[in-house]
């Protein structure tokens, strides 16, 4: 299946179809424009819906050539990316089925080789990530789990031991016993730092806990000091209702998500952590519909996912303007078939999860979306006195009935948030299965590196971050039309050979679904 999209440009239309490139951009930019104009797209996604005919018919006659606007640097970069992507898609066009299947294959063995090497020695270029070592563990371990593989026992134990040392904020004495280390940890009320001896941080805490849940062994799960983490989260709680990333650190939606996600999956979410949080997230939703990192900032794909997931976990998603949010996310998929993170930015493979994940979550909220649309037509605000469970059934929410009243919301939310999650269609609204598969096309052809790993876009280098989130987005789009967690996706929902199918992920936490089930059972028994 191949996708070729019609595109449009924002700004003054040019009826003659000529694009002026600044003289300083040279022949390279001119060549890009020529390549771009030679493309023959045949359909369009949300962000590229064609209104050019209407604009041209209503716009006054163009100014003389000397007054025509030049393309900006951003527009030129966009043309360059489109040219590279369209060239890749042109190669796919017209090839025989066996060749097409080979081109669309997920190179599992190469990816496993690339990922496992990262758990050993890393090159000097990774020095800048010294304070992000739990993230490296998560990106690699989660990617391996998505591919259906696991580590040998010795390597797993090494990872558990390393992350345990990251939760100790005191300087470690060489050859310190594990019991002494635990005693130090109990006195520090800390989360996980970016490495042994580093200050605790919400982001690396999220990465460390998700890594341990992905490993799934009893030793890994028992190594998580839940009581200490709860104290750390309370310390990071701000009077605004939001969270700060670390002591004296920034306050933003990312901090809110990482704290609430970890608290929810560990079954320690309570009233104190939730208080005032919904108001803060709501203040970050912009006029565009997306969610910004903080009030009065620009809507962003990563923060939109974090904000929406947080509001679902605290059972306040119905307070958001969901139709506008869905509209904003849907319009971030462009002519390249992948997602951009913000308006007028370049496509990036990592947003396959951040934007695709928001649509996965929004799918469960369609009853609320429809109600908001209906009420907006008559100017009536929905009641918040007693509300339904954000699209979840009573059984899924862990409640005795189908209602969660205002005064009961926070006392029961911990049960709601860790109940088994049923995979439902991701792109059923407003997407079609065709655009879901189009995203897979971008990931497999434009982000996948044949030597192993994934990259941002053509022309970039592979890395573990993009490998993790490209695979996560690929899994979401493959399973987007599964009726439930136990059902295999339809063959037409998986681009390329069916062996490309990845393990399903829980879209709220981005951990493999069966790993989530195991941790849910484990922490519910404590």
């Amino acid at each position: 299946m191949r996708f070729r999209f019609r595109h449009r440009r924002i700004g003054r239309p040019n009826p003659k179809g000529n694009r002026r490139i600044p003289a300083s951009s040279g022949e390279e930019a001119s060549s890009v424009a020529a390549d771009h104009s030679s493309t023959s797209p045949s359909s369009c996604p949300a962000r590229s819906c064609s209104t050019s005919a209407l604009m041209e018919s209503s716009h006054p006659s163009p100014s003389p050539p000397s007054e025509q606007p030049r393309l900006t640097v951003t527009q030129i970069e966009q043309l360059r990316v489109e040219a590279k992507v369209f060239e890749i898609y042109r190669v796919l066009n017209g090839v025989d089925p066996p060749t097409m299947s080979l081109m669309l294959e997920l190179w599992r063995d190469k990816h496993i080789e690339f990922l496992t090497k990262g758990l050993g020695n890393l090159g000097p270029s990774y020095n800048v990530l010294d304070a992000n070592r739990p993230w490296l563990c998560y990106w690699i371990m989660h990617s391996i789990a998505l591919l259906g593989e696991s580590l040998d026992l010795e390597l797993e134990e090494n990872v558990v031991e390393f992350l345990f040392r990251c939760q100790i904020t005191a300087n470690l004495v060489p050859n310190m016993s594990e019991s002494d280390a635990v005693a130090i940890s109990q006195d520090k009320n800390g989360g996980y730092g970016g490495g042994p001896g580093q200050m605790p941080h919400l982001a690396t805490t999220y990465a460390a806990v998700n890594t341990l849940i992905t490993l799934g062994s009893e030793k890994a799960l028992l190594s998580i000091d839940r009581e200490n983490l709860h104290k750390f989260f309370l310390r990071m709680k701000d009077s605004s209702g939001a969270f700060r990333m670390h002591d004296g650190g920034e306050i933003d939606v990312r901090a809110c998500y990482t704290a609430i996600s970890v608290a929810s999956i560990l079954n320690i979410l309570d009233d104190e952590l939730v208080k005032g949080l919904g108001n803060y997230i709501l203040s970050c939703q912009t006029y565009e519909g997306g969610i910004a990192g903080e009030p009065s900032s620009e809507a962003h794909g990563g923060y939109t996912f974090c904000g929406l997931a947080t509001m679902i976990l605290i059972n306040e998603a119905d307070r958001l303007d969901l139709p506008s949010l869905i509209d904003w996310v849907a319009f971030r998929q462009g002519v390249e078939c992948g997602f951009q993170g913000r308006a007028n930015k370049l496509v990036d493979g990592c947003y396959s999860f951040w934007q695709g994940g928001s649509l996965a979550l929004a799918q469960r909220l369609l009853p609320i979306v429809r109600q908001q649309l209906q009420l907006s037509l008559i100017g009536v605000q929905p009641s918040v006195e007693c509300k339904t469970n954000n699209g979840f059934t009573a059984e899924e929410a862990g409640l005795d009935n189908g209602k969660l009243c205002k005064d009961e919301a926070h006392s029961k939310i911990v049960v709601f948030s860790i109940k088994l999650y049923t995979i439902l269609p991701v792109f059923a609204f407003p997407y079609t299965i065709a655009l879901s598969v189009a995203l897979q096309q971008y990931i497999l052809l434009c982000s996948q590196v044949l030597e192993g790993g994934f990259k941002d876009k053509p022309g970039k280098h592979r890395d573990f971050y993009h490998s993790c989130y490209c695979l996560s987005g690929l899994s979401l789009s493959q399973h987007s039309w599964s009726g439930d967690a136990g059902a295999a996706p339809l063959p037409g929902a998986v681009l390329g050979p069916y062996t490309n199918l990845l393990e399903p992920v829980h879209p709220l936490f981005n951990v493999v679904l069966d790993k989530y089930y195991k941790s849910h059972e484990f922490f519910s028994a404590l």
Side-chain angles (χ1 to χ4, degrees), residues 131-132 134 165-171 188-205 232 235-236 245-250:
N132 293 276
R165 296 175 66 233
C166 290
Q167 197 176 15
I168 303 170
T169 56
N171 291 327
K188 290 299 176 179
N189 299 337
Y192 291 83
Q198 297 185 26
M199 72 163 60
H201 194 285
L202 280 177
T204 47
T205 295
F232 173 59
R235 275 211 344 264
M236 296 303 103
M245 294 302 298
H246 56 85
D247 287 312
E250 66 274 24

Side-chain angles (χ1 to χ4, degrees), residues 271-487:
D271 290 353
E272 289 183 281
L273 295 178
V274 171
K275 184 179 179 181
L277 181 55
N279 291 336
Y280 179 81
I281 300 293
L282 194 63
S283 71
C284 296
Q285 186 171 23
T286 75
Y287 71 95
E288 297 175 278
I291 297 174
E294 57 187 8
S296 303
S297 295
E298 181 183 9
H300 185 282
Y303 291 119
T304 297
F305 171 84
C306 290
L308 178 60
T310 300
M311 293 294 270
I312 292 174
L313 289 172
I314 66 175
N315 204 38
E316 297 185 28
D318 58 326
R319 299 181 64 193
L320 293 169
D321 183 350
L322 293 173
S324 294
L325 187 149
I326 293 172
D327 183 69
W328 182 83
V329 174
F331 269 73
R332 303 283 72 76
Q333 188 177 25
V335 296
E336 309 89 349
C337 302
F339 282 100
Q340 60 179 185
R342 291 177 285 164
N344 297 320
K345 294 295 182 179
L346 301 178
V347 65
D348 188 333
C350 72
Y351 293 108
S352 302
F353 174 77
W354 297 120
Q355 303 283 29
S358 292
L359 291 176
L361 299 177
Q363 172 61 27
R364 296 305 302 270
L365 307 175
L366 291 186
I368 300 175
V369 174
R370 295 189 184 99
Q371 182 185 37
Q372 288 185 351
L373 287 172
Q374 292 171 353
L375 293 176
S376 67
L377 295 176
I378 58 177
V380 176
Q381 294 298 320
S383 171
V384 296
E385 231 9 78
C386 199
K387 56 190 177 183
T388 59
N389 302 316
N390 289 337
F392 287 76
T393 65
E395 181 181 2
E396 289 173 328
L399 304 175
D400 296 330
N401 53 59
K403 298 286 185 180
L404 182 63
C405 292
K406 187 176 181 181
D407 59 349
E408 300 174 327
H410 296 160
S411 63
K412 293 188 177 181
I413 191 62
V414 62
V415 183
F416 160 81
S417 62
I418 64 173
K419 260 305 194 180
L420 305 187
Y421 192 96
T422 301
I423 299 296
L424 288 180
V426 176
F427 298 125
F429 179 79
Y431 269 28
T432 66
I433 192 170
L435 293 181
S436 175
V437 175
L439 177 60
Q440 298 177 50
Q441 175 176 287
Y442 178 82
I443 296 171
L444 292 171
L445 293 178
C446 300
S447 289
Q448 181 173 216
V449 178
L450 299 185
E451 293 78 19
F454 291 79
K455 58 189 177 183
D456 168 351
K457 61 178 69 67
K460 299 291 185 177
H461 298 288
R462 64 182 179 177
D463 58 62
F464 298 115
Y465 169 82
H466 285 93
S467 296
C468 172
Y469 291 108
C470 282
L471 286 170
S472 299
L474 183 61
S475 172
L476 280 177
S477 60
Q478 289 175 339
H479 291 273
S480 61
W481 296 86
S482 299
D484 56 63

Side-chain angles (χ1 to χ4, degrees), residues 20-37:
R20 298 199 60 210
I21 310 294
S24 59
S25 63
E27 296 180 358
E28 181 182 359
S30 299
S31 175
V32 169
D35 289 344
H36 180 74
S37 63

Side-chain angles (χ1 to χ4, degrees), residues 24-334:
S24 59
S25 63
E27 296 180 358
E28 181 182 359
S30 299
S31 175
V32 169
D35 289 344
H36 180 74
S37 63
S38 65
T39 307
S40 300
S42 58
S43 60
C44 71
R47 179 159 53 93
S48 57
C49 291
S50 178
T51 58
S52 58
L54 177 61
M55 292 173 65
E56 290 174 9
S57 62
S58 60
H59 199 280
S61 300
S63 304
S66 60
E67 298 181 14
Q68 289 184 4
R70 294 174 180 268
L71 294 179
T72 65
V73 173
T74 301
Q75 289 172 321
I76 293 172
E77 286 300 317
Q78 175 65 28
L79 289 176
R80 287 173 176 162
V81 172
E82 288 181 12
K84 292 176 181 178
V85 170
F86 294 164
E87 182 59 33
I88 293 171
Y89 292 164
R90 277 196 289 267
V91 173
L92 186 66
N93 185 34
V95 301
D96 56 85
T99 302
M100 182 180 297
S101 179
L102 182 65
M103 292 177 64
L104 294 171
E105 183 177 346
L106 180 68
W107 299 95
R108 290 177 177 269
D109 292 342
K110 292 294 185 181
H111 298 318
I112 293 294
E113 180 181 353
F114 168 68
L115 293 165
T116 52
K117 283 183 179 179
L119 291 174
N121 295 323
L122 294 173
S125 62
Y126 283 92
N127 288 341
V128 294
L129 295 178
D130 181 66
N132 293 276
R133 293 165 71 184
W135 276 113
L136 289 167
C137 292
Y138 169 64
W139 296 333
I140 294 172
M141 296 302 305
H142 180 51
S143 298
I144 291 174
L146 283 168
L147 292 164
E149 299 292 333
S150 59
L151 301 179
D152 61 69
L153 184 59
E154 181 179 359
L155 191 51
E156 283 193 7
E157 291 184 348
N158 289 341
V159 173
V160 174
E161 180 181 350
F162 168 73
L163 292 176
F164 173 77
R165 296 175 66 233
C166 290
Q167 197 176 15
I168 303 170
T169 56
N171 291 327
L172 295 180
V173 177
N175 301 320
M176 177 183 290
S177 67
E178 186 169 311
S179 61
D180 290 339
V182 171
I184 293 176
S185 176
Q186 294 295 331
D187 292 335
K188 290 299 176 179
N189 299 337
Y192 291 83
Q198 297 185 26
M199 72 163 60
H201 194 285
L202 280 177
T204 47
T205 295
Y206 168 87
V209 169
N210 273 14
T211 300
L212 293 167
I213 287 174
T214 298
L215 290 174
S217 66
E218 185 175 4
K219 181 177 181 179
L221 298 179
L222 284 174
S223 73
I224 302 173
D225 187 349
R226 298 193 308 154
E227 181 180 356
N228 218 19
L229 281 175
H230 186 264
K231 294 177 182 178
F232 173 59
F233 293 153
L234 289 178
R235 275 211 344 264
M236 296 303 103
K237 182 76 172 178
D238 184 71
S239 59
S240 66
F243 291 82
R244 62 181 68 252
M245 294 302 298
H246 56 85
D247 287 312
E250 66 274 24
I251 298 172
D252 59 28
V253 171
R254 178 186 49 148
C256 299
Y257 169 69
T258 50
I260 295 301
S261 174
V262 172
S264 176
I265 205 167
L266 295 182
N267 199 13
I268 57 174
L269 188 60
D270 60 14
D271 290 353
E272 289 183 281
L273 295 178
V274 171
K275 184 179 179 181
L277 181 55
N279 291 336
Y280 179 81
I281 300 293
L282 194 63
S283 71
C284 296
Q285 186 171 23
T286 75
Y287 71 95
E288 297 175 278
I291 297 174
E294 57 187 8
S296 303
S297 295
E298 181 183 9
H300 185 282
Y303 291 119
T304 297
F305 171 84
C306 290
L308 178 60
T310 300
M311 293 294 270
I312 292 174
L313 289 172
I314 66 175
N315 204 38
E316 297 185 28
D318 58 326
R319 299 181 64 193
L320 293 169
D321 183 350
L322 293 173
S324 294
L325 187 149
I326 293 172
D327 183 69
W328 182 83
V329 174
F331 269 73
R332 303 283 72 76
Q333 188 177 25

